[in-house]
Every structure is written in structure tokens, then in C-alpha cells.
Amino acid sequence: MDEFTCAGGVLCCSRCVTKHLNLSFHLDFDRHIIRGKVELTVEALEDRFSALTLDTKDLKIISALANGQPARFSLGPKHSFKGTPLDITLPFEISRGQHVIVEVTYETSTSASALQWLTPEQTAGKKQPYLFSQCQAHHCRSMVPCQDSPSVKHTYYAQVSVPKDLVAVMSAMRDGQEDDPQDSNRTIYRFRQPVLFLPSVYCITIVITCSREIGPRSRVWSEKEFVDKAAFEFSETETMLKTAEDLVGPYVWGQYDILVLPPSFPYGGMENPCLTFATPTLLAGDKSLSDVIAHEISHSWTGNLVTNKTWEHFWLNEGHTVYLERMIGRCMKSEQFRQFDAIGGWKDLQDSVNTFGANNPLTNLVPSLQDVDPDDAFSSVPYEKGFALLYHLEELMGGPEVFMGFVKSYIQMFAYSSVTTEEWKNYLFTYFKDKVNILKKVDWNAWMFTPGMPPSSCTVMKPPSFAPLQAKDQDLSSFKKSDVKVLSSQQLTEFLSLLLHEDPLPLSHVKKMQEVYDLNAYMNSEIRFRWLRLCVRSRWEEAVPTALKMATEQGRMKFTRPLFREVYNFEKYRDEAVRVFLASQAAMHPVTSGLVAKDLKVGASNTTSL
């Protein structure tokens, strides 16, 4: 277990490994806690094994057993983000290769960073509460005592007790339900996950929900107010699954369902096995809908099947997933579509580098994360710098068909395991053994361990020519509404992205764009987000309330954090940005709230008083 991920079990990972979890959850919506019991099947990796350390964060530990016998336990010192190590001493010793079942009974905290408890008022239906978990990268330990590291992959079985009028779904195959024998007003839902997977994509969602079948192995789940629209929007799921299987081999997880979460969900999507989480912003006609679902489908191979061994190697998950996502787009649409999508990704990478600073080591493809909270390190760098490296290698090795052969072979080689960048690189050289001389010319140090944008030798995709891209300094009175109407949503998004990479437009230009193009009328989240950033950056005061409204009416960090930052950088409205954040903070996901607080330099004295 890497030191970054583990609260106290750095040595423990070399001494033992979790093979299976058996989970029992009792969801208490009144107290906003989970009363839990977990049975960990642990294999000893050394002789005379008699003690282990598990990761926890803000858990109340009630008891510990080893093969049914009482076991001594203690909690170590608390770390700011790693949590608290749980040390368990077995009442006996076992030998290398033997297994022990360690049972821990516990309760979560009301402040568990993996969990967001929503009141009925925060849901679409306004009648029932809602709970969802978000464990990446290191938050599973606030929900389950475990070896919370991507290097430890295991199976699990779970039973979840919830009030009768709620429904539970998890990152696993459904395995039936029954009345709770302890409480006739509750239902127990059962789940099984027979495929090895990692704790960070371990999820649970409790909701009053409906579902619709969208394919032979897929359903979409959401609150009933959105279910029909969601079923329509995600109707291409099976086609994407089949396309991915053609590229990289069989889908091994059985079911592929999609759950549309409430607006506070902090990401566009999350690749939980069997149950992809999706933001409701995708239901607003986003051009990114197909990108997000293709991305999460791709994670079924790159991320869930083959996993980065530590979070320093996160690019192995995300760079390969972006590459496969865009190959799915290439197969379903065209090479031009893939190229255009990559142009937008390059701009996202530039944004992240500019935000962190070009010399910030967190913009390395393989950063050092010693004593760094992974939430603070999260950006588009592992996604888009990783993709840029793979695209560069694709061109060097002979094109997309040739390089996809390597990607498929890499997945087959390392399936069900976790890998490092060095292992990936060694396999790359082995696979392309006839082109080693070319690979040796790649500046690997510049790609992997140098901050900022990729090496200048990297081929940058060029944007296509269409009028608005060259129009920033022209007289906008010569433009007509039809100029933008002929653009696809993806092209319009790219046009606005390019403007964001230039100096701020004069306020007169922005107002003229609104007059001619009526960009305020666009509900597409990707377009609206970029347009509002342009307006605030140009110091259009009328746009500030709208920008803050978008920042708070949904919690997708891709939108929320930059919008808050834009208003905060408008000095006249800096205090207003902080005021709106503090007023909205309680409704935000804990990860979103914590990162926006840092963006706005809101200290602990402000946040703890809420």
C-alpha cells in the first residue's frame, strides 16, 4: 500500500492483502450515519502473521473479531486527510497463504467525506431523502474500514437495510431483496460483485427511484421526474458497449447501468462497476453526454479492469480511458470527430496548467503525491496530458489501428491487476520490440516528470477553420445570427474555449455577441459555462448573478470551481462570491465544498461556523 493512500498500514500491505468483503449496512436517515459491519477475508503474505492495519476516517469502531474470536484494536494518530489507522491484533498467528476473517462493527460519522445525505428538498421529487457515496480517491475509508488503496483489489457481497419506500443500488449485480427481519418497516437489498475491483469505485446509492431498460444489459436509474428523459438521452449505451468490446475485448462486469444523480454530484461521471454515476447536467442537451458515457464505459477496461497501482500513476487510468473514449467516437462517428474532441481536451489541459502554474509539479504526468491530498491534485492533467502522450505514440508507432493493438494487448496482459508507469512502459517496449529505436528517442523524462505542457515535439491537433474562430478582433456588427446557428454545439463550445484562451474581450464585444447570438438562451451546460466565464472575465456585471446561480444550482466541479474563481477574480464581487459560497456550502458535496473553500481562500473559521 503506498504511503500516500494508507493512513497507517504502509507495512501492512506487504504483510497481508484483502481478498473479499462481506458488508452489512443499516442506513439511518435520521442520524445521517451508516451502522455497519464488515467481514474482511485477509490473506497473510508472511509467516507468523498476527496483526494488521486498516484505513479509517472518522469512524466509530465498536468491536473487532478474528475468526469469531475477540481481537484487540486501537486507533492511531489522526492525519488531516489520510484519516486514522485502525490497528487490529489477532488472538492467534497464521502462516503465509492462510486466510483470516476479520470482522469490524462500526458507525460512520455525520461528516463522512464519502457520503452525501440530501434532504427531500434537495431532490427533484421533494418527498424523500437521498444518499449517495463518492469514494475516489481515498474516501472509502470514511464509509468502510479497509485497505483503501488502488493496489488492493477484491470482490464483495453486501446487504443494505433501508426504509421500505426507498431503493438501494450499488456497484454490483443485484441479488434480490427481502423484508428486514429486525424491522418490518425496512427492506434489505442484496448485491454481489464477483469481479476484482478497487475500493475507490465502491458505491452505494439510496433513493426513491425509477428505472427504464435501455439495452439488453443496461438500465437507467433516476428520480421519476427524469427517468424518461434519461432513457432517451442514454439510448446509445449498448452501441457504445459493443464498439468498446470490438476494440478491447469482452465486457466482464455483466450489467452496465447508469444512475443519474442529484445536481450536487461533483463529477461528470464516475466509473463504478455495473453502475455508472452520471451528472444531471448531461440531460440539458450537452455535447458532452456521449463523451461522458463513452468515457465511463471505457473505464470498465482502463481503470476498473486494469488499475493504477498508486494515485501517482493516475494517468494510466485516465489517459488510456480518454484515448479509448475518443476511439469509440472515431468508430461511431469519424476521425474528424475524434480530432475535434481532442482539440477541446488540449484547451482543458492548458487551463489546468495555467491554474496550477506551469512549474507546479502537480502538472507532471507522474507527480509526487507525498503528503498531498489527492483531491487537491485532481485536474485534467492525467486525462489530457496522458492522452497527448498516447496520441504522440500512436503517430510514432504507425497510426490508430496499430496502436489500438497495443492498448488491447496491454489490457489483456494486466487485467484484474494494478500497474505502475514503469510496468506499462516496459510492456510498451516489449510489444513494439521492432520499433525500440523509435521509442528510445521519446523524451520520457519530459513527458513523465517535467511540469507544464507536453514537450514541443508533441503533435498538436489543429482546429478546423470556421469564421467565428478568426473573428475576435473584427467588427462584430458584421456578424449575423446565422453565423453561430450553423455551428454544432461542439463547435460552438470550442469557439468559446478558444476565446477563453485569449485576453479578455472588451465589454462592448461581449454585449454585442449577446445581442447578435443570444448566448444567454443556451441551456447546454458546456456552452453556458464558457459563455458566463467570458462575460465575467470581461467585467459584465449583469452576468455575475447568473454565473453564481450556475455555480450553485449544480455541483459538478468542472463548472462550479471555475465559475466561483472567475467571480472571485472580479475584485468588485469577491465578497459576493464568498457570501454565496457560504450560503450554499451546506448543500454541496463535501469534496466540492472543500475545494471551492480553498479556491476562495475561505478559512476554517468561516466554514466551521455554518
Side-chain angles (χ1 to χ4, degrees), residues 5 7 55-57 59 82 138-144 148:
T5 306
D55 294 307
T56 78
K57 185 178 181 183
L59 297 181
K82 296 177 185 178
H138 66 308
H139 299 289
C140 188
R141 63 191 69 186
S142 72
M143 187 168 70
V144 182
D148 191 7

Side-chain angles (χ1 to χ4, degrees), residues 4-105:
F4 159 74
T5 306
C6 181
V10 178
L11 297 176
C12 180
C13 185
S14 63
R15 295 190 288 109
C16 68
V17 62
T18 302
K19 308 300 288 186
H20 179 77
L21 295 186
N22 193 6
L23 297 153
S24 296
F25 289 150
H26 180 100
L27 283 298
D28 189 332
F29 279 86
D30 294 326
R31 296 174 59 202
H32 285 186
I33 66 164
I34 295 177
R35 300 207 305 269
K37 181 175 73 174
V38 57
E39 297 173 346
L40 304 96
T41 301
V42 177
E43 178 181 338
L45 301 179
E46 64 179 13
D47 288 328
R48 303 189 67 183
F49 174 78
S50 62
L52 70 154
T53 301
L54 300 177
D55 294 307
T56 78
K57 185 178 181 183
D58 300 325
L59 297 181
K60 176 184 177 182
I61 307 301
I62 298 170
S63 66
L65 302 174
N67 288 349
Q69 301 178 43
R72 289 188 291 113
F73 66 90
S74 62
L75 290 167
K78 183 175 181 178
H79 186 276
S80 59
F81 63 83
K82 296 177 185 178
T84 308
L86 171 62
D87 298 312
I88 299 175
T89 302
L90 309 182
F92 48 77
E93 293 181 346
I94 61 174
S95 300
R96 177 183 176 89
Q98 290 185 318
H99 293 76
V100 59
I101 296 178
V102 177
E103 177 184 307
V104 181
T105 303

Side-chain angles (χ1 to χ4, degrees), residues 167-185:
V167 174
V169 290
M170 289 189 74
S171 53
M173 302 292 288
R174 296 184 295 280
D175 198 38
Q177 65 188 72
E178 63 183 14
D179 292 339
D180 189 333
Q182 305 298 320
D183 188 339
S184 60
N185 294 315

Side-chain angles (χ1 to χ4, degrees), residues 449-462:
F449 306 111
T450 304
M453 295 298 289
S456 57
S457 60
C458 173
T459 301
V460 181
M461 301 170 187
K462 303 298 183 183

Side-chain angles (χ1 to χ4, degrees), residues 433-503:
K433 56 182 180 296
D434 296 333
K435 300 179 180 178
V436 167
N437 289 337
I438 299 175
L439 289 173
K440 285 183 176 179
K441 295 178 182 178
V442 175
D443 189 342
W444 293 103
N445 184 68
W447 274 104
M448 300 297 180
F449 306 111
T450 304
M453 295 298 289
S456 57
S457 60
C458 173
T459 301
V460 181
M461 301 170 187
K462 303 298 183 183
S465 297
F466 48 86
L469 288 176
Q470 290 81 36
K472 183 173 75 74
D473 296 322
Q474 294 179 12
D475 179 5
L476 293 182
S477 64
S478 65
F479 275 27
K480 298 180 176 57
K481 192 172 184 178
S482 58
D483 294 334
V484 165
K485 287 295 183 182
V486 300
L487 301 181
S488 68
S489 61
Q490 190 180 18
Q491 289 174 317
L492 183 53
T493 297
E494 178 59 22
F495 168 48
L496 296 174
S497 293
L498 288 170
L499 293 180
L500 283 168
H501 282 267
E502 303 292 338
D503 293 334

